[in-house]
Amino acid sequence: MSAGELEPIAPHEAVEMYHDAMLDEHAESTRRSEKHRLRAFVQFCDEHEIENLNDLSGRDLYRYRTWRREGQGDDREPIKLVTLKGQLASVRRFLRFAANIDAVEPELYEQVTLPTMKNGEDVSDSTLAPERAIEILEYLERAQPGSRDHIIVMLLWRTGARSGAIRGLDLRDLDLDGSHPRVSGPAVHFVHRPETDTPLKNQDKGTRWNRISEKTARYLEDYIEYHRPEVTDDHGRKPLITTKYGRPAGNTLRKTLYRVTRPCWRDESCPHDRDIDTCEATHLDHASKCPSGRSPHDLRSGRVTFYRREDVPRRIVQDRLNASEDILDRHYDRRSDREQAEQRTDYLPDL
């Protein structure tokens, strides 16, 4: 198609169309991530007076790469290489869509080159060590048994599920007495329900039953009977994890993890030599600023490490956590090289 056959459209309008098209095939978390990344691209176009996406050139794309790398946009400070790679990958995907709606030349996306990452450079090394996760859970079992905090940490740790999957659980998804014919024992059922605001990361492929222990089932019963507000969400469903208003926002579980993983929360001394009376991380809204604070993703990686240390077969871990072997190896398994070498010796009888 020649440039004269392109149909004029403002960058922000094309981006809005792209977001709308994603509704058909992508989870809400993916759409939110793309929207965040492309916000900077729209800002770049505004600042450089690119009012018609038809006029976007390879030279503009190179300038955008430099502009973002140097921290222009919302960040206003240089960004990491892995962040830049993610931002450019989003622009590539958007430009392929833009070509389909006759907004840019079909080959333009190829002029967005992605930076080459060194080994491990695109993988976060943050994790919650299994020992710490177990200590925090045991503390909650003693100090706040059956509380919402306890249930959130317990389900994240015991199932290894993503926080979005835990948030999406309804009361009907629990089989606490083990009566379901397809599952022998207590279990929880993760179900993809995008039409009522609880999608799973891998959509229908993420729908699965996860066994839980009798002890976990009893804590869930206590939570439901004594601590769970009797509310429904905006869609008339009865969520397991609730606030007094209904189903919690996705960030609620994340804030919970950051809060309970701070050592001072358990009255431990600060390992970072901070004054507890003046440390801003002691405030609930700033708990993530504690260097020891960890996210649900970090707890999930700690769970994978725990499973691998216990020699749980990879296939079992993949199925339970609903993640591919490559993703588990690259992003979740935090065993040291020495740990992995020592475990391999158990299967090498001639050493």
Side-chain angles (χ1 to χ4, degrees):
M1 175 181 291
S2 64
E5 295 177 309
L6 296 177
E7 298 182 16
I9 187 171
H12 72 88
E13 291 180 3
V15 168
E16 289 173 4
M17 290 180 67
Y18 175 59
H19 294 324
D20 185 63
M22 291 183 70
L23 288 170
D24 298 330
E25 300 180 4
H26 298 278
E28 192 273 337
S29 58
T30 302
R31 300 196 306 272
R32 185 169 59 245
S33 177
E34 288 289 270
K35 188 171 186 177
H36 173 74
R37 290 172 176 175
L38 289 174
R39 187 179 300 131
F41 176 73
V42 172
Q43 184 178 345
F44 170 83
C45 291
D46 288 342
E47 291 185 9
H48 291 77
E49 299 182 349
I50 301 173
E51 300 177 355
N52 182 359
L53 203 61
N54 300 170
D55 299 330
L56 190 69
S57 68
R59 187 172 298 179
D60 292 323
L61 293 172
Y62 176 77
R63 288 176 180 145
Y64 173 72
R65 180 192 184 108
T66 304
W67 184 83
R68 281 307 283 135
R69 185 181 64 219
E70 294 177 353
Q72 298 301 309
D74 293 337
D75 302 309
R76 296 301 175 189
E77 60 182 25
I79 60 177
K80 295 180 179 180
L81 191 62
V82 62
T83 304
L84 177 63
K85 181 178 181 180
Q87 299 253 327
L88 294 175
S90 290
V91 171
R92 274 177 66 99
R93 288 189 290 269
F94 163 66
L95 290 177
R96 294 185 74 167
F97 167 81
N100 290 335
I101 61 171
D102 301 332
V104 300
E105 295 291 342
E107 302 83 11
L108 184 62
Y109 81 94
E110 297 176 357
Q111 298 188 51
V112 182
T113 57
L114 304 183
T116 302
M117 311 301 295
K118 298 176 183 178
N119 289 338
E121 200 170 21
D122 58 343
V123 177
S124 169
D125 59 1
S126 179
T127 190
L128 179 60
E131 298 79 13
R132 276 192 66 203
I134 293 170
E135 288 174 359
I136 291 168
L137 185 57
E138 289 178 344
Y139 173 84
L140 284 164
E141 289 177 356
R142 294 193 306 272
Q144 301 180 18
S147 66
R148 189 180 74 179
D149 286 353
H150 176 210
I151 296 303
I152 287 173
V153 175
M154 181 183 71
L155 285 175
L156 287 169
W157 177 250
R158 297 301 182 194
T159 68
R162 298 175 181 87
S163 59
I166 301 298
R167 173 184 175 270
L169 286 172
D170 289 347
L171 293 181
R172 59 178 163 167
D173 298 324
L174 306 182
D175 177 22
L176 301 183
D177 58 5
S179 60
H180 194 283
R182 296 178 58 186
V183 185
S184 58
V188 295
H189 193 201
F190 297 114
V191 183
H192 179 55
R193 298 182 177 115
E195 67 284 353
T196 50
D197 193 35
T198 58
L200 294 179
K201 174 70 173 179
N202 291 329
Q203 302 182 42
D204 287 331
K205 293 181 180 178
T207 295
R208 65 197 185 280
W209 283 96
N210 267 18
R211 276 289 313 276
I212 57 174
S213 68
E214 295 281 353
K215 179 180 179 181
T216 297
R218 300 296 80 79
Y219 277 126
L220 284 168
E221 289 178 343
D222 289 345
Y223 163 72
I224 293 168
E225 183 172 357
Y226 301 112
H227 301 287
R228 176 189 175 274
E230 187 59 42
V231 296
T232 57
D233 67 9
D234 293 338
H235 304 279
R237 291 166 52 190
K238 295 183 178 181
L240 171 62
I241 306 298
T242 62
T243 69
K244 61 182 179 180
Y245 302 108
R247 194 180 302 275
N251 200 36
T252 299
L253 275 69
R254 186 178 183 84
K255 286 183 176 180
T256 297
L257 258 292
Y258 275 122
R259 177 162 47 79
V260 304
T261 51
R262 296 169 302 166
C264 62
W265 182 78
R266 291 186 289 149
D267 295 324
E268 295 183 352
S269 60
C270 179
H272 314 292
D273 297 322
R274 293 185 175 186
D275 184 343
I276 300 298
D277 293 329
T278 60
C279 177
E280 63 177 336
T282 60
H283 299 282
L284 297 184
D285 290 339
H286 299 285
S288 62
K289 295 182 180 179
C290 173
S292 291
R294 293 294 182 267
S295 70
H297 180 278
D298 296 328
L299 189 148
R300 182 171 157 91
S301 72
R303 189 57 172 171
V304 172
T305 300
F306 175 84
Y307 281 143
R308 300 305 296 136
R309 284 177 179 172
E310 297 298 314
D311 284 327
V312 177
R314 287 176 181 239
R315 185 71 221 177
I316 300 298
V317 179
Q318 286 176 242
D319 290 347
R320 185 165 177 82
L321 274 71
N322 190 231
S324 68
E325 183 172 345
D326 177 64
I327 291 296
L328 290 177
D329 287 344
R330 286 171 55 78
H331 295 280
Y332 293 115
D333 190 347
R334 296 291 185 257
R335 289 174 301 160
S336 67
D337 292 342
R338 182 57 184 265
E339 282 182 295
Q340 295 183 52
E342 290 296 330
Q343 282 187 273
R344 287 195 293 268
T345 62
D346 294 337
Y347 298 93
L348 301 171
D350 57 340
L351 285 182

